[in-house]
């Protein structure tokens, strides 16, 4: 359990959850402030692969996409020869680029990494399907969505990111056909 001081108050972090001094979980505003404080003081350049992956996931939660992008790019440069590492980080960086309204960069980095490694994952394929939707290439978006669907073993019976991408493809291709 990590002890953190913020605004003269003591908080604790345990497995991604934050608690006040009474050990009650904090609201999302304080959680983001605590995360930002932890992340801004971290020396990510000296972290191991596992540490930096955990760090990347945490910083993405704060929606500090610019900082997260920098860390992902640093990590890919440092550990980019390890296929398992790239497979874990690639969906995050593609998602980050999409959140920064740079879907072309998401597609480019995925193409670059997928030339070196297979990098199959539901998260990556779903993110790429979304990126292709962002640039209005619905045919390629559908191919990646289908790959994600196949990778996850078919339907899961509830709304998830992949089902939302399928709905977006359907909606936007109907709109395009009417115009």
């Amino acid at each position: 359990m990590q002890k953190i001081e913020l605004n003269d108050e003591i908080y604790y972090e345990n497995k991604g959850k934050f608690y006040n001094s009474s050990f009650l979980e904090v609201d999302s505003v304080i959680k983001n402030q605590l995360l930002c404080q932890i992340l801004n003081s971290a020396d990510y350049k000296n972290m191991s692969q596992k540490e930096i992956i955990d760090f990347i996931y945490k910083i993405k939660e704060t929606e500090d996409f610019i900082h997260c992008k920098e860390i992902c790019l640093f990590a890919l440069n440092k550990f980019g020869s390890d296929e398992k590492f790239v497979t874990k980080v690639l969906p995050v960086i593609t998602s980050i680029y999409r959140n920064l309204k740079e879907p072309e960069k998401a597609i480019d980095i995925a193409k670059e990494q997928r030339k070196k490694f297979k990098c199959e994952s539901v998260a990556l394929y779903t993110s790429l399907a979304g990126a292709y939707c962002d640039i209005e290439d619905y045919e390629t978006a559908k191919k990646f969505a289908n790959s994600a669907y196949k990778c996850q073993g078919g339907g899961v019976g509830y709304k998830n990111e992949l089902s939302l991408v399928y709905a977006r493809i359907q909606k936007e291709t109907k709109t395009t056909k009417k115009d």
Side-chain angles (χ1 to χ4, degrees):
M1 185 174 290
Q2 182 178 0
K3 183 178 174 180
I4 309 149
E5 187 174 332
L6 177 70
N7 301 329
D8 298 322
E9 295 285 330
I10 301 295
Y11 297 92
Y12 301 93
E13 186 267 338
N14 187 30
K15 298 180 182 176
K17 294 189 183 231
F18 292 88
Y19 304 93
N20 63 20
S21 57
S22 299
F23 295 99
L24 298 172
E25 195 166 350
V26 300
D27 64 35
S28 61
V29 173
I30 292 180
K31 177 184 177 183
N32 279 343
Q33 290 174 350
L34 291 166
L35 271 171
C36 286
Q37 182 171 322
I38 290 169
L39 301 175
N40 289 332
S41 65
D43 181 15
Y44 67 87
K45 292 183 178 180
N46 291 313
M47 291 180 179
S48 69
Q49 285 186 18
K50 183 183 178 345
E51 289 170 330
I52 204 162
I53 286 170
D54 293 343
F55 184 68
I56 286 168
Y57 291 152
K58 277 186 179 180
I59 198 162
K60 185 174 184 253
E61 280 181 42
T62 69
E63 298 184 0
D64 181 355
F65 299 125
I66 292 172
H67 196 197
C68 192
K69 176 183 83 169
E70 291 171 15
I71 295 165
C72 285
L73 292 174
F74 169 83
L76 283 171
N77 187 49
K78 184 174 181 178
F79 300 114
S81 61
D82 183 318
E83 183 172 6
K84 287 181 181 179
F85 182 84
V86 173
T87 300
K88 289 179 181 178
V89 174
L90 196 53
V92 177
I93 188 71
T94 57
S95 174
I96 295 297
Y97 275 127
R98 289 193 60 234
N99 278 292
L100 292 171
K101 308 293 185 227
E102 298 178 299
E104 295 90 354
K105 288 187 179 180
I107 293 165
D108 290 345
I109 197 164
K111 281 182 181 177
E112 175 188 322
Q113 294 300 322
R114 291 181 74 227
K115 284 180 185 175
K116 295 189 272 183
F117 305 115
K118 200 170 186 177
C119 297
E120 287 187 342
S121 75
V122 174
L124 176 62
Y125 291 153
T126 302
S127 184
L128 286 173
Y132 280 103
C133 284
D134 295 342
I135 63 168
E136 299 180 0
D137 180 352
Y138 300 108
E139 186 176 321
T140 306
K142 181 107 185 225
K143 287 178 184 176
F144 276 103
N146 288 342
S147 293
Y149 183 79
K150 182 180 176 185
C151 197
Q152 77 179 12
V156 292
Y158 57 89
K159 294 254 183 214
N160 60 17
E161 276 190 68
L162 180 56
S163 66
L164 297 174
V165 170
Y166 275 119
R168 180 178 176 192
I169 293 168
Q170 185 176 16
K171 178 184 175 193
E172 292 181 15
T173 54
K174 281 184 181 178
T175 304
T176 306
K177 290 178 184 176
K178 289 179 183 177
D179 292 345

